[in-house]
């Protein structure tokens, strides 16, 4: 991979935003009504990309391990859950209001220079209201009566589902500590200052693992998950290692229940920021649910005859931020024969389309063989068949949506039963007999670090 050739950071996000809309990755929610702040919809290619990421997470965190099982819990849970978890009391961010333009900001996000008051990013004023704590949970009512007894929350994280179902999972599986419960699903946070495109949203999707361990073994498991997760980002998704780093939390930013926490950070155009969090949550959550529910959520180890409340190591990432990162990391521009070529150098594991099947033109003579090639490849790869526009424009489109390989059927194909494979990154072309095409593409995808479907 070449290094990114475009320098200006804001232009990069703007360019990507425009590409994402034009090509059908990301749309503003309810755009025809003016949009909803910090909520986005995902178009056909966005859905494909997210599905690939989701499946790769599930494959590596659950299916390829003997010690992790899955769960899907409701977005709305019993309100006591959020009292026990501490969210009602302290899932808050410090809020200030600009006295001049009345925009509200997250106080810890406002940049202050050496002792001076921070400036309002909207109007430049330095006068703000007193800081107050703002709870980020969305409230709604369950059932037809809108009184406080019916008040419930949209979950701000999926983790609590794993804690409150801990005993049911233990009883219904053969799992014994150490083991983990994984879940992916929507979460909601009424963020005060969302932004940076899909980096900070109010509706987003989390992938969380709660890995239960015996106290005393937690430091080793923490290190295990740090290494596993970093490996996933680099080897499975193909994100450049040079743009990733660990950032351990300082004592002052650790959640009160956490023994240790580290962020995996990515170097975004707007600076290094959190991509995934890994925390040692100790036995805080299970102990709180034991206290609030009166149920026994401890674990009895048959072998050692010990009873204890397990510690929890939690790797948590959001798919929206992941998608943004994968797209930013893959975006590149280069000059080819005096023209700009924009491309997403997606790793073949995440690429929404792995192979484009492109007849040279719409000429009827080419269509039967082109359809035959499409049908032959479709069971093995993520395929798109496209016969519209000139071949040059179709190559450009597939560069921009990150398709690693294109297969072109031309008039010679009708004579020699061979097609051309064009590689996205090098633009190199090679003629391959149709009979060997599937194997040739599988080998190329494999050599590029990917697996097929
Ligand atoms: P912050 O302090 O930045 O508000 P946090 O530390 O509370 O975030 P976590 O609870 O650790 O965030 O969230 C775990 C992961 O979920 C993050 O690393 C990120 O990938 C994702 N995430 C969290 N909040 C959002 C959001 N508002 N929009 C999109 N993704 C999010």
């Amino acid at each position: 991979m070449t290094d990114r050739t475009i320098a200006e950071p804001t232009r990069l996000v703007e360019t990507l935003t425009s590409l994402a809309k034009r090509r059908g990755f990301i749309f503003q929610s309810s755009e025809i009504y003016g949009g909803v702040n910090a909520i986005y919809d995902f178009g056909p290619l966005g859905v494909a990309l997210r599905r690939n990421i989701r499946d790769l997470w599930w494959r590596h965190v659950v299916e390829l391990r003997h010690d992790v099982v899955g769960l899907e819990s409701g977005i709305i849970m019993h309100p006591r859950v959020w009292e026990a978890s501490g969210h009602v009391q302290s899932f808050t961010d410090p809020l200030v209001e600009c006295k001049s333009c009345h925009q509200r900001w997250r106080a810890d996000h406002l940049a202050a220079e050496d002792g001076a008051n921070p400036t309002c990013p909207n109007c430049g004023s330095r006068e703000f209201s007193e800081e107050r704590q703002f709870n980020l949970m969305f409230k709604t009512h369950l059932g037809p009566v809108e009184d406080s007894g019916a008040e419930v929350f949209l979950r701000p994280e999926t983790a609590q589902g794993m804690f409150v179902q801990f005993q049911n999972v233990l009883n219904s599986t053969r799992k014994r500590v150490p083991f983990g419960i994984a879940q992916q699903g929507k979460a909601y946070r009424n963020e005060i200052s969302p932004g940076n495109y899909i980096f900070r949203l109010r509706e987003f999707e989390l992938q969380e693992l709660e890995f239960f361990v015996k106290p005393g073994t937690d430091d080793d498991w923490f290190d295990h998950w740090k290494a596993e997760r970093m490996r996933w980002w680099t080897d499975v998704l193909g994100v450049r290692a040079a743009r990733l780093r660990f950032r351990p939390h300082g004592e002052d930013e650790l959640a009160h229940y956490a023994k240790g926490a580290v962020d995996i950070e990515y170097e975004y155009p707007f600076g290094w920021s959190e991509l995934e969090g890994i925390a040692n949550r100790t036995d805080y959550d299970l102990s709180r649910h034991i206290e609030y529910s009166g149920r026994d959520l401890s674990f009895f180890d048959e072998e050692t005859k010990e009873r204890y409340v397990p510690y929890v190591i939690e790797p948590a990432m959001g798919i929206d931020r992941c998608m943004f990162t994968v797209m930013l990391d893959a975006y590149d521009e280069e000059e080819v024969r005096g023209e700009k070529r924009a491309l997403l150098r997606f790793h073949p594991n995440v690429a929404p389309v792995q192979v484009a099947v492109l007849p040279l033109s719409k000429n009827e003579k080419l269509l039967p063989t082109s359809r035959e090639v499409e049908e032959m490849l479709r069971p093995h790869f993520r395929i798109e068949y496209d016969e519209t526009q000139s071949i040059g424009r179709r190559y450009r489109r597939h560069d921009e949506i990150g398709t690693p390989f294109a297969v072109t059927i031309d008039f010679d194909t009708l004579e020699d039963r061979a097609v051309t494979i064009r590689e996205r990154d090098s633009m190199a072309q090679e003629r391959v007999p149709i009979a060997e095409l599937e194997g040739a593409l599988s080998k190329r995808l494999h050599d590029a670090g990917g697996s097929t479907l």
Side-chain angles (χ1 to χ4, degrees), residues 107-128:
D108 58 333
H109 280 181
L110 291 174
E113 286 141 29
D114 307 328
N117 276 349
T119 47
C120 172
N122 188 42
C123 72
S125 155
R126 289 177 185 269
E127 300 269 321
F128 291 96

Side-chain angles (χ1 to χ4, degrees), residues 106 189 191 199-201 204 206 274-276 318 321:
R106 202 170 129 175
R189 295 182 188 178
E191 299 278 0
F199 180 84
R200 189 177 299 281
L201 299 175
F204 58 102
L206 280 170
E274 174 181 342
L275 174 57
E276 167 158 0
R321 207 172 280 186

Side-chain angles (χ1 to χ4, degrees), residues 9 33 65 67 122 144 189 240 261 264 274-275 294 357 375 402:
Y33 290 102
R65 298 186 61 104
D67 53 3
N122 188 42
R189 295 182 188 178
R240 292 168 221 208
I264 296 180
E274 174 181 342
L275 174 57
V357 177
E375 272 167 38

